Amino acid sequence: MKKDMKQLSICLTTCLFALLSIVAQAQHPPLVFTPQWMPQSQFAGFYVAMEKGFYQEAGVDVIIQHPSSSNSAINKLRQGKCHAITLQLIQAMKLVDGGMPLVNVLQTSQNNSLMLVAHRPIHCLDSLRGKKVGRWKAGFDELAQMLDKEKKLQIVWVPFLQSVNLFISKAIDATLVMSYNEYFQLLSSGVKLSPEGTFRFSEMGYNIPEDGLYVTRNYYAAHTEQVRRFARASRRGWEWAAAHPKETLDIVMRFTKDYQVNTNRTHQQWMLKEIIELQRKKSNHKAIFTLDPADFQLANKVLLHGGFIRQAISLNTFIGQ
């Protein structure tokens, strides 16, 4: 009898939590989330939170909609077609300086992934003087531009969309790459990259964190608790991903298949491992999921010095309180 009562109590408690979750979701419209790019391991924690039911348990109805080539995540946010997006810290701060009120509600990245690789050894930065260097047409090269300006290297920037073919064909002397993406593409293509021809911006005083989760200030004010639940469940997804890489990779590959993304498991495995590592502070090797004030001030300093923003941005107005 006592055993039956205990089982009944557990059953009722479970039903109560399920009912509360349904009620919470009914009180708020779905939260549409748009990552920067098409599906890949860069966004694995969000896929995990969706697949494992973490958003549902948090009482948040989340819809993940990736951007298209003709409509970026930022544009979708401006148009009101989504409510949350991922952005690199530098891009978010530039948008805030330009008048777009954004709120950082979760900081996944704690380190910078930008690298520069060259065909020939870079004995010193002056080795890049006047050289042709590839960069993304979409941007993400502010730190490289800062370096160019500071050292007066007069680099000839050659824009590309997302391919490393320019570098492989030796049409350019060097190229910018992300450690979790294009760097792997170069290694897997058979290109020989010497340590002397490769360096990370994080090791040159530019270790500015990258990906974070953002909503507009108006949306945050109107849906504060919903956004906080979404952020907490997303963090839970990333923590689960770090602890279960194989199962996480299975989830990522299902998303890439659904969106018909041209990739492979080996590439996504490299990306997942690198992204998880980038989420850990170098000081204690822990993922904190918040924006470190010292890192934020470094970003302010670099952006001001480079002329990318007009005035320093306040951390208190930038993060969700």
Side-chain angles (χ1 to χ4, degrees), residues 218-235:
N218 285 342
Y219 187 82
Y220 183 77
H223 305 277
T224 304
E225 184 56 31
Q226 185 187 26
V227 172
R228 287 175 177 172
R229 288 170 179 261
F230 171 55
R232 287 195 296 266
S234 297
R235 171 175 180 165

Side-chain angles (χ1 to χ4, degrees), residues 284-298:
N284 57 15
H285 206 61
K286 292 182 179 180
I288 60 174
F289 295 99
T290 56
L291 190 52
D292 187 317
D295 292 337
F296 184 76
Q297 292 311 320
L298 174 61

Side-chain angles (χ1 to χ4, degrees), residues 96-298:
V96 169
D97 182 70
M100 187 175 185
L102 294 174
V103 178
N104 177 297
V105 296
L106 187 74
Q107 183 64 34
T108 53
S109 166
Q110 299 298 326
N111 298 283
N112 196 276
S113 70
L114 188 64
M115 300 175 65
L116 188 142
V117 295
H119 289 292
R120 295 185 177 182
I122 305 173
H123 299 296
C124 63
L125 291 177
D126 201 59
S127 301
L128 296 172
R129 186 172 303 281
K131 299 297 184 183
K132 294 180 180 178
V133 180
R135 69 170 182 85
W136 297 276
K137 198 170 185 178
F140 310 107
D141 59 348
E142 291 86 356
L143 297 184
Q145 287 188 39
M146 267 292 304
L147 194 65
D148 182 16
K149 180 180 179 181
E150 185 178 332
K151 304 298 181 182
K152 300 179 181 178
L153 299 175
Q154 298 181 323
I155 290 173
V156 179
W157 296 105
V158 181
F160 61 83
L161 289 175
Q162 57 183 6
S163 174
V164 293
N165 291 339
L166 280 175
F167 183 80
I168 293 173
S169 65
K170 296 188 177 180
I172 52 180
D173 304 297
T175 189
L176 297 176
V177 298
M178 296 298 189
S179 64
Y180 57 83
N181 196 5
E182 293 85 4
Y183 183 55
F184 172 82
Q185 293 177 37
L186 288 177
L187 292 176
S188 60
S189 71
V191 174
K192 293 183 178 179
L193 301 173
S194 68
E196 294 80 12
T198 305
F199 71 83
R200 292 176 179 260
F201 281 76
S202 62
E203 297 172 353
M204 301 195 56
Y206 294 109
N207 194 22
I208 296 176
E210 295 178 328
D211 287 359
L213 187 61
Y214 294 86
V215 298
T216 64
R217 180 154 295 282
N218 285 342
Y219 187 82
Y220 183 77
H223 305 277
T224 304
E225 184 56 31
Q226 185 187 26
V227 172
R228 287 175 177 172
R229 288 170 179 261
F230 171 55
R232 287 195 296 266
S234 297
R235 171 175 180 165
R236 185 181 172 192
W238 276 112
E239 290 172 338
W240 194 95
H244 306 85
K246 184 180 180 300
E247 296 91 334
T248 297
L249 193 56
D250 292 337
I251 293 173
V252 170
M253 295 311 296
R254 286 201 293 273
F255 270 79
T256 61
K257 183 179 180 180
D258 290 343
Y259 275 81
Q260 299 181 327
V261 175
N262 185 21
T263 187
N264 59 72
R265 192 177 182 91
T266 304
H267 185 183
Q268 295 305 317
Q269 183 177 25
W270 170 287
M271 186 182 294
L272 179 61
K273 183 178 179 181
E274 182 68 15
I275 287 291
I276 294 296
E277 188 62 28
L278 289 168
Q279 291 182 354
R280 293 167 175 157
K281 296 290 291 182
K282 290 184 180 296
S283 58
N284 57 15
H285 206 61
K286 292 182 179 180
I288 60 174
F289 295 99
T290 56
L291 190 52
D292 187 317
D295 292 337
F296 184 76
Q297 292 311 320
L298 174 61

